[in-house]
Structure formats: structure tokens, C-alpha cells
Amino acid sequence: MMAKTRYPHAAETAYFREIQRLVTELGKVTLQVFDEQIKPQIKLYGQDGVGYVIDGPLDIIQRAIEIIKGLSLGIFASNEIRNICTRFLNAVNAQSKANIQQQARIIGIDPTQTEPWLDEFMRSSINENVSYISTIRDEYFPKIEAIIYQGVKNGQSIKSIRDQLVERIGMTKNRAQFIAVDQTGSIFGQMTAKRHQEMGVNKFKWSTSHDDRVRQAHRVLDGKIFAYSDPPSEGLPGTPYRCRCVAIPVFGNEPR
């Protein structure tokens, strides 16, 4: 019987929820400050037909945006982000180890007992994901500043500006989901490949998640066997962007 490689769905879901929690809190703060501090200034900015020439309201709007930025530093605190990434990597590693230990029983070894490469891999992967989450915040503020200032200067309604902010918050949540799916597949795929080769497995069978989200290029690879030294042009399972495919080990005495 061919040993299964189980994708870490629970780790992916938990990671997304953790990042989404940060984005949701950031969005809540953004809309609260907008409603309480920015909205009154937008009303003041264009009243009495004076036109957009008053500096006072814009100054207050800028200070309000700085308040959002300041609050975001507490939401996206560096230690909180690192803890989220550490929990995520530990969960992916745990699923990978469980898979490998089960698969290795076929040849009577446990390659996970001594893994000198693992500490550095975990450290670099945690640092990489810390950077990805931090970038969410860094990319968020130029977007909302542009929405607010362009909306005010172009005379857009308060509702229109607020709706655009809500849309931007939704897009930021989509970015969080992309990171969670992409990093889960990529890290898991790299771990699987390394551990398979450490236990002497030189070939793998490509296996998709067998659902309607699988891209066509990966459907045609499903069930095919490749050498780790000569993978398909798509790369190793899990490593292409947002890939949830996995590598199933092919042992020397196993039927193809």
C-alpha cells in the first residue's frame, strides 16, 4: 500500500485566521477613526461652497491617519507576528513529521530523529513569514491614504470614500489568505522533499487535492511519477504559488 501524504489543512486554516484577525482589527480601527474624526472634517472641508482651499481639515485628517498608523503598531506588534509565524511553522512541521514517520515504517527507519537542517530551515521560514505579514501593514497605509485624500479632493461623498475603505480592507484580507495558502503549500512541499530524500526516496508521485480549485496544469500531473532530481517544470508539489498538491513517496519495490 502506498503511504499517503496528508496536506496540513488545519495549519493553513489556523494561520489564515490568525493573520485575518490582525487585518480585521486594523480595519475596525480604520473605520472607527474615519467615522469619529475624519468624516466631520470631510464635511467641513467642502462646506459653504468655499471649495477645497482650507488647510485646517486636511491637517486634522492627516493627524487622524497618523493615529491609525500608531494603533496599527500595537496590532501588528513584532512579537505577536513572530509568535503567529512560529505556531504556524510548528504546526506544518508536526504534520510533515507525522507523514514521514508513517511512510518510513515501510523501510523501518525514522529520518526525523536526527535532522541537522531543520533548525535553520525553521528559522529562515519564520523570518520570511514575519516579513510577509509585516508587509501587509506597510502596503495598507499608502492605499487608504490615497483613498481618503483623493476622495476629499475630488469631492466624493463620505459614503463613497468609506465604501472604498471597506473594499480595501477586504482586499487586504484576501492578501492574508493568499499568504496562508501559498506558504503552507510551499513550506510543506520543501519539508516533504527534504525528508523523503533523507530517507532515501528518490522518486515521488504527484497528487493533487482532487477538488475544483486544482489548476489545469496540475491536474495533468496528478498520479505521475517524477525523480526529485528531475521534477516537472512546475517544480515540486506545493512549491508553485497557492499550490496544495503533495508528493507521495515512491519506494524502490513499489509498483508504479
mmCIF file of all heavy atoms in Angstrom, residues 64-87:
data_model
loop_
_atom_site.group_PDB
_atom_site.id
_atom_site.type_symbol
_atom_site.label_atom_id
_atom_site.label_comp_id
_atom_site.label_asym_id
_atom_site.label_seq_id
_atom_site.Cartn_x
_atom_site.Cartn_y
_atom_site.Cartn_z
ATOM 1 N N ALA A 64 -5.354 62.223 11.976
ATOM 2 C CA ALA A 64 -6.201 61.044 12.214
ATOM 3 C C ALA A 64 -5.586 59.802 11.566
ATOM 4 O O ALA A 64 -5.597 58.713 12.147
ATOM 5 C CB ALA A 64 -7.604 61.285 11.675
ATOM 6 N N ILE A 65 -5.056 59.968 10.363
ATOM 7 C CA ILE A 65 -4.394 58.844 9.690
ATOM 8 C C ILE A 65 -3.174 58.396 10.488
ATOM 9 O O ILE A 65 -2.897 57.193 10.611
ATOM 10 C CB ILE A 65 -4.003 59.228 8.248
ATOM 11 C CG1 ILE A 65 -5.275 59.410 7.397
ATOM 12 C CG2 ILE A 65 -3.105 58.158 7.624
ATOM 13 C CD1 ILE A 65 -5.014 59.930 6.000
ATOM 14 N N GLU A 66 -2.450 59.355 11.058
ATOM 15 C CA GLU A 66 -1.296 59.005 11.886
ATOM 16 C C GLU A 66 -1.725 58.245 13.140
ATOM 17 O O GLU A 66 -0.993 57.377 13.625
ATOM 18 C CB GLU A 66 -0.520 60.277 12.271
ATOM 19 C CG GLU A 66 0.172 60.966 11.109
ATOM 20 C CD GLU A 66 1.170 60.065 10.395
ATOM 21 O OE1 GLU A 66 1.880 59.301 11.091
ATOM 22 O OE2 GLU A 66 1.240 60.109 9.154
ATOM 23 N N ILE A 67 -2.904 58.571 13.640
ATOM 24 C CA ILE A 67 -3.434 57.826 14.791
ATOM 25 C C ILE A 67 -3.668 56.359 14.403
ATOM 26 O O ILE A 67 -3.328 55.441 15.151
ATOM 27 C CB ILE A 67 -4.748 58.465 15.297
ATOM 28 C CG1 ILE A 67 -4.440 59.798 15.992
ATOM 29 C CG2 ILE A 67 -5.483 57.521 16.249
ATOM 30 C CD1 ILE A 67 -5.690 60.584 16.373
ATOM 31 N N ILE A 68 -4.244 56.153 13.220
ATOM 32 C CA ILE A 68 -4.468 54.781 12.745
ATOM 33 C C ILE A 68 -3.132 54.048 12.621
ATOM 34 O O ILE A 68 -2.996 52.892 13.035
ATOM 35 C CB ILE A 68 -5.204 54.776 11.387
ATOM 36 C CG1 ILE A 68 -6.564 55.462 11.504
ATOM 37 C CG2 ILE A 68 -5.389 53.339 10.884
ATOM 38 C CD1 ILE A 68 -7.268 55.653 10.163
ATOM 39 N N LYS A 69 -2.147 54.734 12.081
ATOM 40 C CA LYS A 69 -0.822 54.122 11.935
ATOM 41 C C LYS A 69 -0.249 53.740 13.298
ATOM 42 O O LYS A 69 0.327 52.664 13.469
ATOM 43 C CB LYS A 69 0.134 55.078 11.220
ATOM 44 C CG LYS A 69 -0.157 55.266 9.748
ATOM 45 C CD LYS A 69 0.871 56.197 9.121
ATOM 46 C CE LYS A 69 0.622 56.401 7.632
ATOM 47 N NZ LYS A 69 1.611 57.307 7.010
ATOM 48 N N GLY A 70 -0.400 54.641 14.245
ATOM 49 C CA GLY A 70 0.123 54.364 15.586
ATOM 50 C C GLY A 70 -0.568 53.167 16.219
ATOM 51 O O GLY A 70 0.092 52.309 16.823
ATOM 52 N N LEU A 71 -1.884 53.096 16.088
ATOM 53 C CA LEU A 71 -2.623 51.970 16.644
ATOM 54 C C LEU A 71 -2.249 50.662 15.948
ATOM 55 O O LEU A 71 -2.241 49.588 16.562
ATOM 56 C CB LEU A 71 -4.128 52.215 16.524
ATOM 57 C CG LEU A 71 -4.683 53.364 17.385
ATOM 58 C CD1 LEU A 71 -6.132 53.654 17.021
ATOM 59 C CD2 LEU A 71 -4.568 53.032 18.871
ATOM 60 N N SER A 72 -1.931 50.755 14.657
ATOM 61 C CA SER A 72 -1.581 49.545 13.908
ATOM 62 C C SER A 72 -0.288 48.915 14.412
ATOM 63 O O SER A 72 -0.088 47.706 14.285
ATOM 64 C CB SER A 72 -1.458 49.855 12.415
ATOM 65 O OG SER A 72 -0.245 50.541 12.141
ATOM 66 N N LEU A 73 0.579 49.737 14.978
ATOM 67 C CA LEU A 73 1.836 49.198 15.508
ATOM 68 C C LEU A 73 1.573 48.257 16.673
ATOM 69 O O LEU A 73 2.306 47.280 16.880
ATOM 70 C CB LEU A 73 2.758 50.340 15.942
ATOM 71 C CG LEU A 73 3.302 51.230 14.827
ATOM 72 C CD1 LEU A 73 4.079 52.400 15.415
ATOM 73 C CD2 LEU A 73 4.182 50.422 13.877
ATOM 74 N N GLY A 74 0.517 48.541 17.428
ATOM 75 C CA GLY A 74 0.146 47.640 18.512
ATOM 76 C C GLY A 74 -0.515 46.377 17.994
ATOM 77 O O GLY A 74 -0.304 45.285 18.538
ATOM 78 N N ILE A 75 -1.306 46.520 16.928
ATOM 79 C CA ILE A 75 -1.975 45.351 16.346
ATOM 80 C C ILE A 75 -0.953 44.434 15.677
ATOM 81 O O ILE A 75 -0.954 43.215 15.889
ATOM 82 C CB ILE A 75 -3.040 45.800 15.327
ATOM 83 C CG1 ILE A 75 -4.124 46.638 16.023
ATOM 84 C CG2 ILE A 75 -3.659 44.594 14.616
ATOM 85 C CD1 ILE A 75 -5.067 47.339 15.060
ATOM 86 N N PHE A 76 -0.089 45.012 14.868
ATOM 87 C CA PHE A 76 0.950 44.250 14.169
ATOM 88 C C PHE A 76 2.258 44.304 14.954
ATOM 89 O O PHE A 76 3.317 44.567 14.385
ATOM 90 C CB PHE A 76 1.153 44.797 12.753
ATOM 91 C CG PHE A 76 0.103 44.364 11.770
ATOM 92 C CD1 PHE A 76 -1.164 44.918 11.806
ATOM 93 C CD2 PHE A 76 0.369 43.405 10.806
ATOM 94 C CE1 PHE A 76 -2.152 44.529 10.903
ATOM 95 C CE2 PHE A 76 -0.607 43.009 9.903
ATOM 96 C CZ PHE A 76 -1.869 43.575 9.955
ATOM 97 N N ALA A 77 2.177 44.048 16.238
ATOM 98 C CA ALA A 77 3.379 44.059 17.087
ATOM 99 C C ALA A 77 4.330 42.962 16.638
ATOM 100 O O ALA A 77 3.910 41.848 16.303
ATOM 101 C CB ALA A 77 2.980 43.861 18.549
ATOM 102 N N SER A 78 5.624 43.264 16.644
ATOM 103 C CA SER A 78 6.615 42.319 16.112
ATOM 104 C C SER A 78 6.613 40.995 16.856
ATOM 105 O O SER A 78 6.726 39.925 16.240
ATOM 106 C CB SER A 78 8.008 42.950 16.154
ATOM 107 O OG SER A 78 8.344 43.325 17.478
ATOM 108 N N ASN A 79 6.446 41.044 18.183
ATOM 109 C CA ASN A 79 6.446 39.787 18.938
ATOM 110 C C ASN A 79 5.200 38.958 18.645
ATOM 111 O O ASN A 79 5.243 37.727 18.603
ATOM 112 C CB ASN A 79 6.574 40.051 20.444
ATOM 113 C CG ASN A 79 5.436 40.871 21.005
ATOM 114 O OD1 ASN A 79 4.858 41.709 20.303
ATOM 115 N ND2 ASN A 79 5.092 40.643 22.260
ATOM 116 N N GLU A 80 4.067 39.629 18.421
ATOM 117 C CA GLU A 80 2.828 38.927 18.091
ATOM 118 C C GLU A 80 2.956 38.248 16.728
ATOM 119 O O GLU A 80 2.557 37.080 16.553
ATOM 120 C CB GLU A 80 1.651 39.902 18.081
ATOM 121 C CG GLU A 80 0.333 39.336 17.576
ATOM 122 C CD GLU A 80 -0.273 38.287 18.499
ATOM 123 O OE1 GLU A 80 0.311 38.010 19.578
ATOM 124 O OE2 GLU A 80 -1.323 37.728 18.140
ATOM 125 N N ILE A 81 3.503 38.968 15.760
ATOM 126 C CA ILE A 81 3.678 38.397 14.424
ATOM 127 C C ILE A 81 4.616 37.195 14.473
ATOM 128 O O ILE A 81 4.348 36.144 13.877
ATOM 129 C CB ILE A 81 4.229 39.457 13.449
ATOM 130 C CG1 ILE A 81 3.195 40.570 13.240
ATOM 131 C CG2 ILE A 81 4.584 38.826 12.105
ATOM 132 C CD1 ILE A 81 3.699 41.727 12.403
ATOM 133 N N ARG A 82 5.699 37.323 15.208
ATOM 134 C CA ARG A 82 6.660 36.206 15.302
ATOM 135 C C ARG A 82 6.022 35.003 15.984
ATOM 136 O O ARG A 82 6.263 33.861 15.568
ATOM 137 C CB ARG A 82 7.923 36.654 16.042
ATOM 138 C CG ARG A 82 9.023 35.591 16.104
ATOM 139 C CD ARG A 82 10.361 36.194 16.427
ATOM 140 N NE ARG A 82 10.811 37.081 15.365
ATOM 141 C CZ ARG A 82 11.439 36.662 14.272
ATOM 142 N NH1 ARG A 82 11.693 35.374 14.101
ATOM 143 N NH2 ARG A 82 11.827 37.510 13.355
ATOM 144 N N ASN A 83 5.213 35.233 17.000
ATOM 145 C CA ASN A 83 4.535 34.121 17.670
ATOM 146 C C ASN A 83 3.569 33.408 16.717
ATOM 147 O O ASN A 83 3.477 32.176 16.718
ATOM 148 C CB ASN A 83 3.779 34.624 18.898
ATOM 149 C CG ASN A 83 4.696 34.994 20.042
ATOM 150 O OD1 ASN A 83 5.846 34.550 20.101
ATOM 151 N ND2 ASN A 83 4.210 35.818 20.952
ATOM 152 N N ILE A 84 2.847 34.189 15.912
ATOM 153 C CA ILE A 84 1.925 33.601 14.929
ATOM 154 C C ILE A 84 2.697 32.727 13.943
ATOM 155 O O ILE A 84 2.298 31.591 13.645
ATOM 156 C CB ILE A 84 1.160 34.713 14.185
ATOM 157 C CG1 ILE A 84 0.140 35.380 15.113
ATOM 158 C CG2 ILE A 84 0.468 34.154 12.934
ATOM 159 C CD1 ILE A 84 -0.526 36.603 14.511
ATOM 160 N N CYS A 85 3.802 33.258 13.439
ATOM 161 C CA CYS A 85 4.593 32.523 12.451
ATOM 162 C C CYS A 85 5.234 31.279 13.064
ATOM 163 O O CYS A 85 5.320 30.235 12.409
ATOM 164 C CB CYS A 85 5.672 33.433 11.857
ATOM 165 S SG CYS A 85 5.000 34.802 10.888
ATOM 166 N N THR A 86 5.659 31.381 14.304
ATOM 167 C CA THR A 86 6.267 30.230 14.981
ATOM 168 C C THR A 86 5.241 29.121 15.172
ATOM 169 O O THR A 86 5.526 27.941 14.924
ATOM 170 C CB THR A 86 6.856 30.650 16.329
ATOM 171 O OG1 THR A 86 7.867 31.649 16.115
ATOM 172 C CG2 THR A 86 7.493 29.461 17.045
ATOM 173 N N ARG A 87 4.041 29.482 15.609
ATOM 174 C CA ARG A 87 2.987 28.476 15.766
ATOM 175 C C ARG A 87 2.663 27.814 14.436
ATOM 176 O O ARG A 87 2.451 26.595 14.357
ATOM 177 C CB ARG A 87 1.724 29.114 16.368
ATOM 178 C CG ARG A 87 1.842 29.459 17.843
ATOM 179 C CD ARG A 87 0.484 29.781 18.441
ATOM 180 N NE ARG A 87 -0.081 31.004 17.911
ATOM 181 C CZ ARG A 87 0.115 32.222 18.438
ATOM 182 N NH1 ARG A 87 0.891 32.370 19.487
ATOM 183 N NH2 ARG A 87 -0.470 33.286 17.908
#
